[in-house]
Amino acid sequence: MKVEYINPFLAATVNVFNTMLNCPLTRGQPFLKGGAQPQYDVSGVIGLSGSAKGTVVLSLCREAALQAAAAMLGERSETIDADVRDAVGELTNMIAGSAKAKLEEFSLNVSLPTVITGKGHCIDFPRQVTPICIPFECAWGPVAVEVGLDDGAPQ
Amino acid sequence: MKVEYINPFLAATVNVFNTMLNCPLTRGQPFLKGGAQPQYDVSGVIGLSGSAKGTVVLSLCREAALQAAAAMLGERSETIDADVRDAVGELTNMIAGSAKAKLEEFSLNVSLPTVITGKGHCIDFPRQVTPICIPFECAWGPVAVEVGLDDGAPQ
């Protein structure tokens, strides 16, 4: 996928964390992700389709998931319960929804988010797509966004 | 989601396993899935979007994933490696692609599949959607397809 496609997702993630969670993110160096490597504790996954196809993964360490949910719901859970999973799905939805608006040329729609839990879970993309991973740090710990987008062009 | 939406996914799964893998499936009783429950060892996830939004999960026990990949690739892996994960993503893609054609009223497009691994991983849908799970048995062990579709109607 073209590197310029990543910028809307980067900007959307920073913006959603700032405005929805009042949580500034520090961005690390984006990198191409090869193979299945473990994600953080909780991952939101959402599909994009239109004249390109894609998937966005938002992965949060446990503390970031709990704190993000607390900021959205006004009440802190001590476990990754249904409220926390729902909040992570909604964050993923907001990031993908905001980014797709800046990729107008693909007329993208978002699918339903799903939320993955399970220690050391891995999320792998199809071989024809090399996802770009953007690592972030925040006061609650590490967060990452991964985007794979297939615009039909040779990789 | 309406129960009649499940039939295209059921038919597509049976058909893809028959034609692509030469593997007849025996269907169990579909049920509404509440909360995050562990999936089998390998799960393919793909988004659907258009005038409805959805997600399809195909979850396979380890042996079914290895055998399905062997049937597709002509060579058996002994571990859930990149080839096996790719095969599971492609099966998920075929099931969703075949089912969407029968849900014309929603003009659905499929996203990129992702493949989840990790012992005891759970995949949770947003609260506004109650996914329907269809359990299957085959000679290689258990397989399940879960579909959540939000057509905007109250649940």
Side-chain angles (χ1 to χ4, degrees):
Chain A
M1 73 179 251
K2 291 189 190 161
V3 173
E4 61 258 39
Y5 297 157
I6 203 70
N7 289 327
F9 295 94
L10 202 168
T13 307
V14 169
N15 189 41
V16 165
F17 270 69
N18 254 327
T19 56
M20 296 300 299
L21 309 177
N22 196 22
C23 175
L25 291 178
T26 307
R27 177 172 71 80
Q29 188 62 35
F31 59 93
L32 296 174
K33 193 166 172 189
Q37 290 156 32
Q39 302 283 336
Y40 297 122
D41 302 74
V42 188
S43 304
V45 175
I46 196 164
L48 295 166
S49 59
S51 62
K53 295 172 178 203
T55 297
V56 179
V57 178
L58 168 69
S59 196
L60 306 170
C61 70
R62 179 184 165 84
E63 184 62 17
L66 294 175
Q67 293 274 12
M72 289 169 81
L73 306 167
E75 198 172 339
R76 179 176 158 109
S77 299
E78 290 307 322
T79 59
I80 306 292
D81 60 14
D83 286 338
V84 174
R85 296 191 301 266
D86 233 45
V88 171
E90 187 47 30
L91 279 176
T92 312
N93 190 44
M94 284 189 277
I95 291 168
S98 163
K100 86 179 171 79
K102 293 178 192 155
L103 292 164
E104 272 178 1
E105 67 265 42
F106 298 130
S107 310
L108 295 171
N109 284 313
V110 297
S111 74
L112 274 185
T114 47
V115 176
I116 320 291
T117 48
K119 206 157 181 59
H121 69 269
C122 295
I123 301 177
D124 207 13
F125 284 70
R127 191 164 289 166
Q128 81 268 24
V129 175
T130 305
I132 294 178
C133 178
I134 320 170
F136 295 96
E137 275 291 334
C138 70
W140 306 327
V143 167
V145 169
E146 253 171 80
V147 182
L149 200 65
D150 182 359
D151 64 351
Q155 298 275 309
Chain B
M1 73 180 250
K2 291 189 191 160
V3 172
E4 62 258 38
Y5 298 157
I6 203 70
N7 288 329
F9 295 94
L10 202 168
T13 307
V14 169
N15 189 41
V16 165
F17 270 70
N18 254 328
T19 56
M20 296 300 301
L21 309 177
N22 196 21
C23 174
L25 290 178
T26 307
R27 178 172 71 79
Q29 189 61 35
F31 60 93
L32 296 174
K33 192 165 172 190
Q37 289 157 34
Q39 303 282 337
Y40 297 123
D41 301 76
V42 188
S43 304
V45 176
I46 195 164
L48 295 167
S49 59
S51 63
K53 295 171 178 204
T55 297
V56 180
V57 177
L58 168 69
S59 196
L60 306 170
C61 70
R62 180 184 164 84
E63 185 61 17
L66 294 174
Q67 294 274 13
M72 290 169 80
L73 305 167
E75 198 173 340
R76 180 176 158 108
S77 299
E78 289 308 322
T79 59
I80 306 291
D81 59 14
D83 285 338
V84 175
R85 295 191 302 267
D86 233 45
V88 171
E90 187 47 30
L91 279 177
T92 312
N93 190 43
M94 284 187 277
I95 291 169
S98 162
K100 86 179 171 81
K102 293 178 193 153
L103 291 164
E104 272 179 0
E105 66 266 43
F106 298 131
S107 308
L108 295 170
N109 283 313
V110 297
S111 74
L112 274 184
T114 47
V115 176
I116 321 292
T117 48
K119 205 157 181 60
H121 69 269
C122 295
I123 301 177
D124 207 12
F125 283 70
R127 190 164 291 165
Q128 81 267 23
V129 175
T130 304
I132 295 178
C133 179
I134 319 169
F136 295 97
E137 276 291 333
C138 70
W140 307 325
V143 167
V145 169
E146 253 171 80
V147 181
L149 199 66
D150 183 0
D151 64 351
Q155 297 275 312

